[in-house]
Amino acid sequence: MTSRRLVLTRSAAIIGAASSGLLLPQLVRAQSDKLRVGFMLPYTGNFAPLGVAIENGFRMALNEQGGKLGGREIEFFKVDDESNPAKGIENANRLIQRDKVDVLVGTVHSGVQMGIHKVARESGVLNLIPNAGVHIATRAQCAPNVFRTSFSNSQPTLALGKTMVANGHKKAVWITWSYAAGDEAFEGFEQSYTAAGGAIVKKLSLPFPNVEFQALLTEIAALKPDAVACFFAGPGAAKFMRDYAAAGLNKSIPLYGSGFLTEGVLEAAGDAANGVITTMHYADSLDTPANKKFRLDYAKTFKLQPDVYAVQGYDTGLLLVKGANAVKGDLSNKKALYAAMEGATIDSPRGKWTMSKSHNPVQDIYLRKVENKQNKVIGIAQKAVADSGAGCRLG
Ligand code: PHB
């Protein structure tokens, strides 16, 4: 309980005692406060559409509960993190110290997440990660108050290599933005592709969020690999696919990727995305009641098609609902709150998933192909994929 709330609690108890002759339990006053939820997400820059989709999905899950959490009203706070790692700590502190949020929902960019992670570990405030896949947050630096509802950066690509080799592509070039998300997505790809007998002939990269791909595409054309695999996301991913097609590479060198490549960008990429094969913990065409209902409700509410980021935001809300309901809105009851979230099975549009001991989803990874501006599921690339959680001592 924050000291501010403690003061309120005690004064309420004293007023209550004075007026009724009874001493009110502290909990009553604490719970009549609004629950403070902070969004730290990108609302500008390449990842802005991702931040918006996450917030939309999260709000949708809470709206399904009448806009309450464990019976409590909610007050929202927002900070645009600009996907800027240099401001990560300062921005997290704005929500935690200034706004005194009970839970921080954020963020998208792995570098910024490291700032949030430091503040979350020091303050003990509940942090729900709705996207950023940086390994260390649920490995060596895992924490009881930090839960990820999305993926670890190597999870999607751990299911990619086998498919590529099975499709006859034995020599590949890898291309990405050079920061944690791209580097760790490569780890998953390297592990799965080389285990299946593939050889990575070259690793290419450019700084995030640079989208000047031309020189690297020229290099790919000269290397003539059997296939290209990549990690890109947001509008920059659409530009990559358009440039790849404009250079004529899509005719001779099939493009594969971590599924973020084709999330939320299929209109912008147009025909350039046709036939691109990816692995991801979601696919638009999943034929389940939960996915159908989610897609319909999301489109009606936000006049937008949902993507994996919307699903992750929604699942973040579902997880918090489970936790908050278990403690009847008293998030200061950490032991019971964390136990409820650790034991939760989330009935997600992506399919049911559970939380690993290190607080990262254990989930199926789908094989998808872009057809008619949809990520069509063509199979399950790997069932129940868990991150190693290496070095985490929780659970
Ligand atoms: C990340 O920085 O961890 C990240 C960003 C965007 C994605 C996936 C991962 O789509």
Side-chain angles (χ1 to χ4, degrees):
M1 198 181 286
T2 62
S3 54
R4 185 187 60 87
R5 183 163 297 150
L6 253 179
V7 171
L8 285 176
T9 303
R10 295 219 169 106
S11 55
I14 290 162
I15 293 164
S19 60
S20 68
L22 289 169
L23 211 63
L24 283 179
Q26 292 200 354
L27 202 61
V28 173
R29 183 62 185 87
Q31 287 194 30
S32 63
D33 272 356
K34 284 188 178 167
L35 211 145
R36 299 162 85 89
V37 175
F39 294 115
M40 179 161 156
L41 292 166
Y43 294 105
T44 52
N46 183 61
F47 288 156
L50 287 60
V52 170
I54 288 167
E55 182 181 334
N56 287 348
F58 183 87
R59 285 185 185 267
M60 211 172 109
L62 270 47
N63 287 343
E64 289 173 2
Q65 303 292 310
K68 289 191 177 179
L69 270 170
R72 282 173 72 182
E73 303 274 349
I74 304 164
E75 187 170 3
F76 290 101
F77 299 83
K78 264 167 93 154
V79 166
D80 175 9
D81 69 33
E82 304 164 40
S83 296
N84 183 351
K87 293 192 195 159
I89 292 178
E90 176 191 331
N91 281 330
N93 273 327
R94 280 166 66 189
L95 285 169
I96 286 178
Q97 286 178 11
R98 183 192 64 188
D99 300 330
K100 310 244 179 305
V101 296
D102 298 294
V103 47
L104 188 158
V105 176
T107 189
V108 167
H109 184 288
S110 277
V112 179
Q113 195 66 45
M114 291 314 296
I116 296 179
H117 202 61
K118 185 170 191 299
V119 175
R121 282 181 13 128
E122 283 169 9
S123 65
V125 170
L126 177 62
N127 170 215
L128 304 180
I129 310 175
N131 185 77
V134 62
H135 285 167
I136 200 167
T138 57
R139 290 192 186 176
Q141 286 186 18
C142 67
N145 58 317
V146 176
F147 291 79
R148 181 151 50 204
T149 53
S150 47
F151 56 89
S152 72
N153 280 327
S154 59
Q155 244 178 334
T157 42
L158 268 175
L160 185 60
K162 198 167 148 208
T163 300
M164 288 176 64
V165 173
N167 288 353
H169 311 310
K170 295 234 171 82
K171 279 190 319 175
V173 165
W174 169 262
I175 179 166
T176 193
W177 282 310
S178 48
Y179 80 107
D183 299 343
E184 294 177 350
F186 175 73
E187 282 178 35
F189 174 63
E190 183 179 39
Q191 195 178 316
S192 62
Y193 191 60
T194 55
I200 299 164
V201 292
K202 188 103 194 205
K203 245 173 101 178
L204 298 171
S205 65
L206 69 175
F208 173 83
N210 191 323
V211 291
E212 298 308 319
F213 300 114
Q214 210 47 55
L216 298 172
L217 294 174
T218 304
E219 207 176 332
I220 291 173
L223 287 162
K224 295 193 177 56
D226 298 340
V228 167
C230 67
F231 165 83
F232 291 110
K239 171 137 191 322
F240 179 73
M241 287 187 283
R242 285 198 309 269
D243 288 2
Y244 194 87
L249 294 177
N250 61 340
K251 304 256 158 40
S252 50
I253 310 173
L255 180 61
Y256 289 76
S258 181
F260 304 109
L261 178 67
T262 58
E263 286 295 327
V265 297
L266 291 177
E267 284 297 329
D271 289 346
N274 274 339
V276 171
I277 294 180
T278 61
T279 41
M280 178 96 303
H281 45 278
Y282 180 63
D284 302 336
S285 72
L286 286 175
D287 190 13
T288 61
N291 190 40
K292 283 191 181 149
K293 181 176 184 318
F294 171 77
R295 295 195 69 85
L296 207 64
D297 289 354
Y298 189 94
K300 265 198 227 152
T301 310
F302 302 108
K303 315 281 178 255
L304 281 171
Q305 287 304 313
D307 54 21
V308 73
Y309 308 107
V311 171
Q312 291 168 182
Y314 183 68
D315 288 4
T316 307
L318 293 184
L319 181 72
L320 185 57
V321 164
K322 292 224 178 211
N325 284 347
V327 296
K328 300 197 171 47
D330 179 15
L331 297 202
S332 70
N333 184 358
K334 292 185 180 182
K335 199 162 172 244
L337 174 68
Y338 299 163
M341 295 201 296
E342 282 162 350
T345 296
I346 301 298
D347 191 7
S348 163
R350 72 180 98 164
K352 287 198 169 105
W353 60 268
T354 55
M355 196 55 93
S356 75
K357 286 196 168 119
S358 57
H359 295 179
N360 189 72
V362 179
Q363 55 193 338
D364 295 345
I365 303 288
Y366 303 99
L367 188 63
R368 308 114 44 94
K369 187 174 189 174
V370 177
E371 270 174 33
N372 300 325
K373 304 202 169 145
Q374 257 218 336
N375 285 300
K376 288 254 165 75
V377 63
I378 53 176
I380 295 184
Q382 215 165 308
K383 275 208 82 70
V385 179
D387 187 76
S388 74
C392 175
R393 292 206 193 88
L394 291 173

